[in-house]
Amino acid sequence: MSSGQLPEQEMAPGAPAPTGRAARRRRSRVRLALTAVAVAALSLAGMTAATGTGSAASPTATTAVAPSDVPAPPAGFTTTWSDDFNGAANTGVPSSDWKYDTGPGSNFGTGEIETMTDSTSNVYEDGSGHLVLKALHDGSDPASGWTSGRIETQSDSFGAPAGGVVMMQSSIQQPDLTTANGAGYWPAFWMLGSTLRTGTTWPTSGEVDILEDINARSSVFGTLHCGTNPGGPCNESTGIGSGEQACSGCQTGYHTYAVQIDRSTSPEQIRWYLDGQNYFTVNSTQVDATTWANAVDHPFFIIYDLAMGGGFPDAFGGGPNASTVSGGQMNIDYVAVYNKAP
């Protein structure tokens, strides 16, 4: 998720106006393939691959109920890693699988105004199989006094080898707010290229935003960030994005958000899914080969965060404001990485 100004290593969203955010980055139901399966993953049953060159079809969110367990992979695929957040109530995430990104949102280069903490007031497992990221406000000034949470996976090995496919999927309930009381909320489920952790700068290292919503608009944005900033082959800091897609019911119930990186097809593709429906596709031929390889053809690490304010919400009306409520939360039922070998 990016905002408009770049930080040293971060940025990203996908909107028609400058936005962006990036580089920061159990009891886990971890099932690491003990074979050296180069990361790659699945086309879940019911997913129809769209062909096209970055055009977006309008997705339809179906009624979704949070599953009681991480869905099994289809025949022929494997679950590389997953977490269904079965920790005790009011406990933090385990350091074996997750790490906290803490500090003021201004550090992230996206214009956010919250401070990210590792407090169980902001990031906790609820004892009922969910991870909760909660934004809290203190004081009378809506433009300050916010705390929230941001975490990323310790592992940065989730990707597709040449000829393989990888899929990252999560069941999420967006903050149960409306445009009347949710201005400034910016929930996101996204991933950054592993090479960012070893010195490659953003956006060259790649960022794939799987879910972003702003201002409680009941929508979803999917975006690829790549190339150079500003401008470049990927139109940074906006990126190559789906634009705003309707996501009816996504703030009142759980829905699945997923991305597939498919290196088994030519040209290679990234496909975005809402409840199993492919609503946006980017082909490798939309940018030059070097830009694509640098941004996509390597593993990633996964991030969840609930930001407040910033360039992306501002581009769609701004916030937070006097009507923005404290306590909005992003609820996550599970996250899974599914792989199919070449």
Side-chain angles (χ1 to χ4, degrees), residues 18-31:
T19 38
R21 163 184 212 140
R24 286 350 149 196
R25 347 328 86 295
R26 115 193 144 83
R27 190 128 22 170
S28 133
R29 299 186 56 90
V30 179
R31 297 172 213 168

Side-chain angles (χ1 to χ4, degrees), residues 57-73:
S58 184
T60 303
T62 57
T63 301
V65 177
S68 59
D69 204 352
V70 176

Side-chain angles (χ1 to χ4, degrees), residues 69-328:
D69 204 352
V70 176
F77 295 89
T78 59
T79 303
T80 301
W81 178 84
S82 67
D83 195 343
D84 58 3
F85 305 109
N86 279 335
N90 301 313
T91 58
V93 291
S95 59
S96 56
D97 295 303
W98 300 95
K99 61 180 180 177
Y100 295 87
D101 291 328
T102 59
S106 56
N107 286 349
F108 302 142
T110 55
E112 301 166 34
I113 61 171
E114 82 292 333
T115 295
M116 294 299 189
T117 84
D118 58 5
S119 167
T120 50
S121 296
N122 299 117
V123 183
Y124 61 93
E125 299 195 40
D126 67 359
S128 298
H130 308 105
L131 169 68
V132 178
L133 302 186
K134 180 179 288 188
L136 297 171
H137 184 246
D138 182 41
S140 57
D141 181 2
S144 65
W146 289 92
T147 58
S148 193
R150 171 171 170 151
I151 61 172
E152 64 185 61
T153 56
Q154 293 281 5
S155 176
D156 55 14
S157 62
F158 309 133
V165 187
V166 65
M167 178 179 203
M168 291 76 165
Q169 177 170 290
S170 186
S171 176
I172 299 169
Q173 180 184 5
Q174 295 184 24
D176 189 7
L177 304 170
T178 69
T179 52
N181 63 3
Y185 275 83
W186 184 2
F189 165 46
W190 49 303
M191 56 192 191
L192 286 165
S194 60
T195 58
L196 187 70
R197 288 179 171 175
T198 56
T200 301
T201 56
W202 186 93
T204 303
S205 55
E207 173 179 337
V208 179
D209 299 323
I210 307 169
L211 155 68
E212 290 186 282
D213 176 49
I214 32 83
N215 302 335
R217 291 170 63 91
S218 295
S219 59
V220 60
F221 296 80
T223 309
L224 168 66
H225 291 274
C226 53
T228 57
N229 186 76
C234 305
N235 189 33
E236 296 302 346
S237 61
T238 297
I240 301 173
S242 65
E244 186 172 24
Q245 304 291 315
C247 195
S248 177
C250 289
Q251 294 183 237
T252 55
Y254 286 85
H255 295 266
T256 59
Y257 304 86
V259 148
Q260 289 185 20
I261 297 175
D262 188 348
R263 300 186 64 193
S264 70
T265 187
S266 183
E268 293 182 1
Q269 291 185 332
I270 305 176
R271 298 186 291 267
W272 281 257
Y273 297 88
L274 171 62
D275 288 332
Q277 181 179 347
N278 176 201
Y279 69 90
F280 180 52
T281 298
V282 174
N283 292 324
S284 59
T285 49
Q286 290 177 241
V287 297
D288 64 90
T290 298
T291 294
W292 182 268
N294 287 341
V296 178
D297 293 345
H298 52 61
F300 291 81
F301 56 97
I302 292 170
I303 306 168
Y304 289 105
D305 73 297
L306 178 57
M308 295 300 299
F312 202 1
D314 287 352
F316 287 79
N321 57 40
S323 299
T324 302
V325 298
S326 174

